[in-house]
């Protein structure tokens, strides 16, 4: 670890902190339907959209109607994306003449981008046409993020309102999230990325002659070795910048290129690397301020922000430390690579610090974009991104999903605090009753159910679970476990080492992504509806305050304990065992 590395990490957190209040205050005005500086340009467009779609913006919904609208919209748009993939070979903007996407992969990808997961079990530049990338994938990058923000706002309203049966209008919230929050930032951000070298065009791929031809040996299925000299390389390009900015801001993560944010056409220099990192955290951080403003308890919003910041710093410290130490099996000052830390799989343009920082940021949120390969991390370094995912990505979290995810843990925290003092728990003037706790626990239990069941089946099924696995032992378990964990948490990053483009993994990972998004958010909306109906209860001496360092500490403890109790056995058999075996001289 270096002072320069730590300076960059801490400077990043300070920039995120500086953006939290202005962005959070802006989102409060947007979703309270107060006037903003963008209204003269966007309000007429909003009204036209409502007329065309028959939406009455003055009509609000109960939580069941809100959830139903969200599910119907998501189902229809998923079906449209699936259709685009299946017929892309007949559609325009396909200069490479790419074939239609196979049915199981098309289902997996449609589920992935609809749920804001953006997991990619394929090579984008050789699978998806320009039209599919833009009208299919980039569109869902916007819409899935807007849905997440809308859901978070609905939950905040449920907390803030008193004796109301409604929590807002899904169509209005989603429209305003898209028009006021995502689109303006993405237009400016995309232009900035283009100015830094991110490509944006419709040109066919370019074939160039190699200055230094390469001799390549390949082994065929018959075992014969073939030697050939490669003299040409195909340079992929396309409308990248427009997808790159929403990929980070909307915490989507699905890259235009297979190398994702390690590709110089997506992430050309240290400035774009820093800019994209800030985009990933910005909405999740800003929503904590929105929570404080809309509920009338700004100190509570900052207490939640501090809990997230502490968890972030703990994670990045552990990951950076593990990678900076390097592999203990390659010790000594004579080995220049390992004396500089574990550089395998890292983004060497930016160094270990920025690679570890990105790995933590992308898994603290539901982003999943990568600028280094998590599979190449040391066992403990790779365990940190996995833990971030397993605790629900509540450290700032995805666009909206991080906020409503941490509110579930807040409900559990005040419930535990109430048990400690023998009183009915309260949260910002609302009694937390049996229904609320049941819904919170249902949300917590749904995730491990699908992740652990599918992981367990895959590791004992040689024909379809293990046949595409590159590594054995605990590292192989981590690769499979990570794939289902990120799918259930709608993250989208990959531990790699697992060829997941098979019928088994496309089907089960696709199902896990759908369950992880929609089965988990419905109980959260039920909590919001329940809280909105409750009467306000004035605070008393027995009320557990949710604005103090004690609350922040309790919230952190509950997040870690729930994650540890649920997933510690799997972590013990995976990265922890691999770390112990590595120190004993065995690798996988």
């Amino acid at each position: 670890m270096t002072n320069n590395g730590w300076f960059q990490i801490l400077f990043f957190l300070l920039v995120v902190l500086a953006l939290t209040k202005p962005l959070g205050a802006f989102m409060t005005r947007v979703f309270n339907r107060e006037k903003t500086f963008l209204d003269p340009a966007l309000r007429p467009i909003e009204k036209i959209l409502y007329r065309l779609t028959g939406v009455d913006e003055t009509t609000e919904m109960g939580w069941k109607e809100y959830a139903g609208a969200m599910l119907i919209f998501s189902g229809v748009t998923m079906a449209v994306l699936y259709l685009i993939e299946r017929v892309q070979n007949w559609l325009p903007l396909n200069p490479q003449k790419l074939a239609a996407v196979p049915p199981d992969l098309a289902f997996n990808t449609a589920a992935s981008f609809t749920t804001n997961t953006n997991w990619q079990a394929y090579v984008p530049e050789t699978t998806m046409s320009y039209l599919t990338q833009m009208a299919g994938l980039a569109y869902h990058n916007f819409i899935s993020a807007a849905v997440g923000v809308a859901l978070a706002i609905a939950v905040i309203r449920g907390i803030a309102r008193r004796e109301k049966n409604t929590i807002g209008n899904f169509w209005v919230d989603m429209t305003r999230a898209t028009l006021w929050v995502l689109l303006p930032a993405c237009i400016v951000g995309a232009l900035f990325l283009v100015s830094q070298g991110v490509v944006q065009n419709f040109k066919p791929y370019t074939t160039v002659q190699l200055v230094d031809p390469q001799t390549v040996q390949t082994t065929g299925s018959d075992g014969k070795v073939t030697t050939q000299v490669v003299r040409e390389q195909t340079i992929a390009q396309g409308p990248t910048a427009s997808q790159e900015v929403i990929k980070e801001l909307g915490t989507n993560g699905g890259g235009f290129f297979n190398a994702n944010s390690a590709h110089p056409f997506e992430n050309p220099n240290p400035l774009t690397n820093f800019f994209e990192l800030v985009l990933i955290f910005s909405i999740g951080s800003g929503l904590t301020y929105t929570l404080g403003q809309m509920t009338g308890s700004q100190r509570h919003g900052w207490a939640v922000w501090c809990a997230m910041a502490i968890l972030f710093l703990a994670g990045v410290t552990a990951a950076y430390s593990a990678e900076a130490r390097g592999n203990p099996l390659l010790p000594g000052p004579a080995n220049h690579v390992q004396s500089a830390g574990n550089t395998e799989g890292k983004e060497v343009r930016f160094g270990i610090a920025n690679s570890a920082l990105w790995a933590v940021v992308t898994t603290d949120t539901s982003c999943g974009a990568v600028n280094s390969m998590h599979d190449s991390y040391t066992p403990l370094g790779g365990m940190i991104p996995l833990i971030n995912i397993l605790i629900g990505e509540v450290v700032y979290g995805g666009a909206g999903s991080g906020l409503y995810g941490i509110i579930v843990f807040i409900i559990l925290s005040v419930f535990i605090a109430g048990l400690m003092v023998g009183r009915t728990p309260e949260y910002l003037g609302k009694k937390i009753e049996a229904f609320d706790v049941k819904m919170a626990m249902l949300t917590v239990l749904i995730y491990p159910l699908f992740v652990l069941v599918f992981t367990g089946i895959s590791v004992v099924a040689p024909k379809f679970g293990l046949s595409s696995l590159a590594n054995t032992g605990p590292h192989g378990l981590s690769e499979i476990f990570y794939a289902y964990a990120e799918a259930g948490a709608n993250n989208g990053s990959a531990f790699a080492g697992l060829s997941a483009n098979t019928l088994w993994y496309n089907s089960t990972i696709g199902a896990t992504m759908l369950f992880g998004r929609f089965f988990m958010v419905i109980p959260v909306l039920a909590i919001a509806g329940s809280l909105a109906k409750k009467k306000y209860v004035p605070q008393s001496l027995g009320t557990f305050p949710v604005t103090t360092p004690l609350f922040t500490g309790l919230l952190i403890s509950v997040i870690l304990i729930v994650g540890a109790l649920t997933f510690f056995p799997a972590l013990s058999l995976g990265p922890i065992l691999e770390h112990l075996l590595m120190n004993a001289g065995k690798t996988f």
Side-chain angles (χ1 to χ4, degrees):
M1 294 189 289
T2 65
N3 291 334
N4 180 54
W6 275 114
F7 171 78
Q8 293 180 68
I9 291 170
L10 295 176
F11 180 69
F12 161 76
L13 185 59
L14 288 175
V15 171
V16 171
L17 173 60
L19 287 174
T20 300
K21 181 176 179 178
L23 180 57
F26 176 74
M27 287 192 288
T28 301
R29 297 187 67 84
V30 167
F31 294 107
N32 282 341
R33 303 179 195 175
E34 300 172 12
K35 189 174 182 180
T36 73
F37 69 96
L38 293 175
D39 281 21
L42 298 180
R43 183 61 177 157
I45 299 174
E46 182 186 25
K47 290 182 177 179
I48 291 173
L49 289 174
Y50 294 152
R51 289 196 193 101
L52 292 175
T53 56
V55 172
D56 181 1
E57 63 177 311
T58 62
T59 301
E60 293 203 343
M61 302 174 174
W63 77 265
K64 293 179 182 178
E65 187 180 359
Y66 202 101
M70 180 269 298
L71 290 173
I72 292 171
F73 175 78
S74 299
V76 171
T77 55
M78 178 178 168
V80 171
L81 175 55
Y82 177 84
L83 180 62
I84 291 174
E85 294 179 75
R86 295 290 292 132
V87 300
Q88 73 171 11
N89 55 315
W90 296 335
L91 299 176
L93 291 177
N94 186 8
Q96 298 307 117
K97 310 298 181 184
L98 298 176
V101 182
D104 59 312
L105 179 59
F107 162 74
N108 180 277
T109 305
S112 176
F113 279 78
T114 301
T115 58
N116 199 240
T117 308
N118 308 91
W119 159 271
Q120 293 170 296
Y122 57 90
V123 178
E125 58 263 45
T126 61
T127 307
M128 301 296 179
S129 69
Y130 290 169
L131 182 69
T132 304
Q133 293 267 28
M134 293 188 303
L137 307 186
Y139 167 80
H140 274 270
N141 283 350
F142 277 95
I143 295 303
S144 63
V147 169
V149 173
L151 293 171
I153 294 299
V155 173
I156 294 174
R157 285 200 194 101
I159 298 169
R161 290 183 172 179
R162 305 173 186 177
E163 300 180 69
K164 296 282 187 179
N165 292 318
T166 59
I167 56 174
N169 185 309
F170 170 75
W171 308 111
V172 174
D173 290 340
M174 185 189 65
T175 300
R176 295 186 73 84
T178 305
L179 287 180
W180 267 263
V181 180
L182 299 177
L183 270 175
C186 286
I187 291 172
V188 175
L191 292 174
F192 170 75
L193 290 179
V194 169
S195 75
Q196 296 299 305
V198 178
V199 298
Q200 180 76 16
N201 60 48
F202 293 122
K203 294 180 180 179
Y205 296 172
T206 303
T207 300
V208 298
Q209 298 295 318
L210 295 180
V211 175
D212 184 14
Q214 302 292 311
T215 301
V216 179
Q217 288 186 334
T218 56
T219 303
S221 57
D222 56 358
K224 292 183 179 180
V225 178
T226 303
T227 302
Q228 61 178 339
V229 178
V230 179
R231 303 182 184 276
E232 295 181 339
Q233 180 179 353
T234 300
I235 307 297
Q237 55 198 304
T240 306
S242 56
Q243 184 167 325
E244 184 70 17
V245 65
I246 185 57
K247 152 191 156 183
E248 315 297 9
L249 179 66
T251 60
N252 296 281
F256 194 92
F257 300 102
N258 192 46
N260 208 275
S261 292
H263 197 293
F265 282 179
E266 288 197 23
N267 190 8
N269 56 54
L271 180 58
T272 60
N273 190 72
F274 182 82
F275 176 70
E276 291 174 17
L277 279 170
V278 171
L279 287 179
I280 295 171
F281 261 12
S282 57
I283 290 180
S285 181
L287 281 171
T288 63
Y289 193 86
T290 303
L291 170 67
Q293 277 204 316
M294 292 182 71
T295 59
S297 179
Q298 200 61 70
R299 290 180 61 193
H300 173 61
W302 284 119
V304 174
W305 189 94
C306 288
M308 294 176 172
I310 292 169
L311 287 169
F312 161 72
L313 288 173
V316 77
T317 299
Y320 186 22
S321 175
E323 297 310 298
R325 283 198 302 268
N327 190 327
L329 300 183
L330 298 171
N335 189 308
H336 299 293
V337 175
Q338 287 301 309
S339 64
N342 176 32
T343 56
E344 180 192 343
K346 298 298 186 300
E347 177 48 86
V348 294
R349 293 179 297 159
F350 310 135
I352 289 178
N354 273 285
S355 294
L357 173 62
W358 191 296
V360 172
V361 168
T362 200
T363 52
D364 278 339
T365 65
S366 66
C367 184
V370 295
N371 76 352
S372 61
M373 296 298 105
H374 299 173
D375 193 43
S376 294
Y377 279 49
T378 62
L380 295 185
M383 184 175 68
I384 299 305
L386 180 55
I387 289 176
N388 289 339
I389 292 170
L390 295 176
I391 62 176
E393 299 164 344
V394 294
V395 183
Y396 302 107
S401 61
L403 194 281
Y404 65 69
I406 203 167
I407 283 178
V408 171
F409 285 106
I410 292 173
I411 297 293
L412 296 178
S413 298
V414 297
F415 173 70
I416 292 171
L419 291 178
M420 290 179 177
V421 297
R423 287 177 54 93
T424 301
E426 299 172 14
Y427 175 45
L428 295 177
K430 303 289 183 68
K431 294 285 188 181
I432 301 301
E433 297 171 313
F435 177 81
D436 309 308
V437 178
K438 288 177 182 177
M439 291 298 103
M441 285 307 304
L442 182 60
T443 304
V444 169
L445 293 174
I446 286 173
Y447 174 60
L449 173 64
F450 292 101
V451 171
L452 294 177
V453 167
F454 280 135
T455 299
I457 295 173
S458 297
V459 298
V460 297
K463 289 185 178 180
F464 49 83
L466 300 177
S467 59
S468 57
L469 189 64
N471 298 87
T472 60
H475 193 80
L477 171 62
S478 295
E479 290 171 347
I480 295 176
F481 185 32
Y482 193 104
Y484 286 108
E486 62 77 23
N490 302 137
N491 182 269
S493 64
F495 212 62
L498 175 67
S499 298
N501 190 8
T502 66
L503 179 61
W504 167 254
Y505 282 115
N506 279 334
S507 302
T508 56
I509 288 177
T512 303
M513 289 185 286
L514 293 172
F515 289 132
R517 175 75 159 189
F518 301 119
F519 275 37
M520 291 175 66
V521 77
I522 291 174
V524 177
L525 286 175
I527 293 173
S530 172
L531 293 177
K533 295 178 181 179
K534 296 179 186 292
K535 296 180 179 180
Y536 177 76
V537 179
Q539 291 189 5
S540 65
L541 292 176
T543 302
F544 179 69
V546 293
T547 59
T548 63
L550 179 61
F551 163 75
T552 298
L554 178 62
L555 177 59
I556 292 171
S557 300
V558 169
I559 292 171
L560 294 178
I561 290 171
V562 169
L565 291 177
T566 306
F567 295 109
F568 184 75
L571 292 171
S572 299
L573 295 173
I576 295 175
L577 177 59
E578 184 184 2
H579 173 74
L580 297 174
L581 291 174
M582 182 181 69
N583 286 331
K586 183 174 178 57
T587 58
F588 298 91

